[in-house]
Amino acid sequence: MDSLASKMSDQIDSLRDRLAEIACEIWDYAEAGGEEFKSSALLMDEFSKRGFAVERGLTGKSPDSGEECDMPTAFRAAFGNGGNPRVGVMLEYDALPNGHSCGHNLIAAAGLGAALALGTALEELPGEVVAIGTPAEEGGAPGKVEILHAGHFDGLDAVMMAHPSDRWNAESRFLSIVHPKNGGIIYRGRAAHASSEPERGRSALDAVLLFCNGVEFFREHVKDGSRMHYSIVNGGDAPNIVPDFAKVNIFVRSEDTNELNYMKKRVTDIASAAALMADVSCELEWDFPWYSPVKVPSFYSLARKSAESAGVGAGNFIDYDSFGSTDAGNVGLMFPLVHLDFKIAPLGTNWHSKESAEASRSQEGIEGMITAAKTIALTLYSLMTQPDLMRRIKDEFAARRRTFGSETYV
Ligand SMILES: [Zn+2]
């Protein structure tokens, strides 16, 4: 570690109490996606106080309709001379209905600590650090996709964030995901007495059942690692009424973006074929997908090395064999991204649970957050001070992106 890197690491240590306080305060607020008013204000105030130029509230843009939307709990805090290299740090701070059971309060504190430390280094270096406050990762309101499409990430060379977990991992593996808008596929038929005049009815539930069967047959013919899961949201009101309304929701996922687009087309066909068989109408409009990020192995190994120099033992890095999805993936399709997982709880801890919520306010949680902040700062600092390394990572990203199915990304 050179002297500036040690200075950043020491600064994060000196910020420990303040970062812990902020993490706990956001945990206590436990605000839902899009409603993180107190949490985002706390972070924006802290950035302002420490000399960052803060844009309070951002205007997002819908990627499919192009419509603008207000995102009062999103923000952009920048420090530096405005030129390149320019690195980004993402912060999340939304809670789930059962509180901060995904630990996004720690994502915010780690991102804050890392950005402040990079700001200190930038007093002596050319370049800029941009911290982007991204609301509603858990859904329910516009998030990173709208921020991305409005251009708030433009000009960044590389982006990082750190998410709490039961392990350390820098591989940033996520599945692309797409699902219908409006909470599902809607079928509309015709109600009738199910016993006295069934021939006059057209069952919307029949279409739902045919759809689910169609998906089951299709399941055999998708690539390994793809997923489809559905739930019947509305299956009619009573057995003696032929249901004139039924609704089924489905999530379609794949690590391969081309495969995701193919699956989306087949599931659309299955949905309309089910409507044809049941002689009912079908309403299906797809939401904009969350994509899996482009893989950048050199960036991942740099992050891992930085974590090791921040004190993480190599044995703490453990691979995953199961994956979720995140809107950070869309950022990782446009910019080299590390979505670092940092350990705050014993291996095997259930996530989105009472245990993970407690871990997000625990001593181990705070320690993990501090180490994660150092890891982000050291990784991005290496890129900013080693142009060859930055070039290698950007070239690797560009080469892999070309073969990633991303030509279909709009
Ligand atoms: Zn999460």
Side-chain angles (χ1 to χ4, degrees):
M1 233 188 263
D2 66 25
S3 64
L4 207 44
S6 310
K7 194 172 158 188
M8 288 196 310
S9 181
D10 292 346
Q11 196 202 353
I12 291 171
D13 281 329
S14 71
L15 285 168
R16 173 184 302 262
D17 290 350
R18 182 62 188 140
L19 295 174
E21 212 170 72
I22 287 171
C24 292
E25 211 169 313
I26 295 175
W27 193 95
D28 291 340
Y29 294 146
E31 295 168 296
E35 294 165 18
E36 316 95 325
F37 293 100
K38 292 186 221 162
S39 307
S40 59
L42 181 64
L43 294 162
M44 290 188 272
D45 290 348
E46 198 67 27
F47 276 118
S48 287
K49 241 190 294 180
R50 295 176 188 270
F52 277 60
V54 182
E55 226 178 303
R56 301 177 75 99
L58 300 176
T59 302
K61 190 174 182 183
S62 157
D64 42 19
S65 73
E67 265 172 49
E68 290 195 340
C69 56
D70 280 339
M71 303 180 69
T73 63
F75 64 87
R76 194 175 184 281
F79 189 94
N81 61 20
N84 287 80
R86 189 182 280 134
V87 293
V89 180
M90 289 193 282
L91 283 72
E92 295 174 3
Y93 28 83
D94 58 323
L96 285 148
N98 63 350
H100 270 291
S101 59
C102 204
H104 293 187
N105 59 316
L106 296 174
I107 300 180
L112 172 66
L116 294 179
L118 285 160
T120 300
L122 281 163
E123 284 169 1
E124 300 175 38
L125 292 172
E128 189 177 43
V129 57
V130 182
I132 303 186
T134 64
E137 193 275 336
E138 301 288 358
K144 293 181 192 65
V145 177
E146 287 76 9
I147 296 176
L148 182 68
H149 281 262
H152 299 294
F153 283 88
D154 287 2
L156 294 177
D157 292 301
V159 182
M160 278 187 81
M161 64 174 284
H163 194 296
S165 173
D166 64 348
R167 68 194 75 199
W168 283 84
N169 185 289
E171 300 293 314
S172 312
R173 284 187 71 182
F174 293 100
L175 302 181
S176 294
I177 182 171
V178 68
H179 49 72
K181 281 185 178 168
N182 309 315
I185 304 168
I186 290 170
Y187 289 104
R188 293 183 199 278
R190 196 188 313 141
H193 192 295
S195 182
S196 69
E197 294 180 311
E199 71 283 1
R200 296 183 64 180
R202 294 291 181 270
S203 170
L205 177 60
D206 285 358
V208 165
L209 298 176
L210 289 162
F211 171 78
C212 295
N213 274 290
V215 168
E216 290 312 319
F217 282 109
F218 176 42
R219 196 183 295 285
E220 190 186 344
H221 307 288
V222 297
K223 281 192 181 169
D224 280 352
S226 301
R227 306 262 191 281
M228 289 178 284
H229 24 262
Y230 50 78
S231 67
I232 297 177
V233 181
N234 187 320
D237 297 322
N240 58 355
I241 305 171
V242 173
D244 62 351
F245 180 90
K247 186 170 179 179
V248 58
N249 201 4
I250 182 163
F251 287 4
V252 179
R253 307 194 204 219
S254 179
E255 195 169 12
D256 180 316
T257 304
N258 284 326
E259 182 72 358
L260 184 86
N261 288 328
Y262 163 71
M263 290 167 74
K264 186 174 117 177
K265 185 197 170 297
R266 288 291 306 273
V267 171
T268 306
D269 289 346
I270 291 167
S272 3
L276 186 66
M277 280 189 276
D279 192 21
V280 300
S281 72
C282 171
E283 295 160 27
L284 166 56
E285 206 186 331
W286 292 100
D287 221 332
F288 195 79
W290 286 1
Y291 289 112
S292 49
V294 175
K295 291 184 179 52
V296 199
S298 306
F299 198 5
Y300 305 157
S301 55
L302 175 66
R304 189 169 165 157
K305 260 189 251 152
S306 304
E308 285 166 15
S309 45
V312 183
N316 285 311
F317 274 84
I318 297 170
D319 283 343
Y320 278 98
D321 52 10
S322 65
F323 312 102
S325 308
T326 171
D327 58 359
N330 294 44
V331 177
L333 196 54
M334 306 305 282
F335 305 95
L337 168 80
V338 171
H339 184 289
L340 176 80
D341 286 318
F342 62 97
K343 182 174 161 66
I344 64 159
L347 189 65
T349 300
N350 283 353
W351 226 248
H352 287 193
S353 70
K354 191 166 164 280
E355 291 71 30
S356 59
E358 281 165 4
S360 304
R361 208 188 194 287
S362 68
Q363 198 49 43
E364 192 180 355
I366 300 300
E367 291 310 316
M369 175 271 287
I370 294 292
T371 312
K374 289 182 184 175
T375 305
I376 295 177
L378 293 173
T379 308
L380 295 178
Y381 173 77
S382 298
L383 290 183
M384 295 182 87
T385 51
Q386 298 173 54
D388 288 352
L389 189 57
M390 177 76 98
R391 174 61 28 220
R392 177 149 36 101
I393 279 164
K394 290 182 78 167
D395 286 350
E396 189 174 299
F397 170 81
R400 285 173 176 256
R401 188 173 191 268
R402 278 195 289 277
T403 58
F404 197 67
S406 48
E407 69 277 4
T408 55
Y409 181 75
V410 218

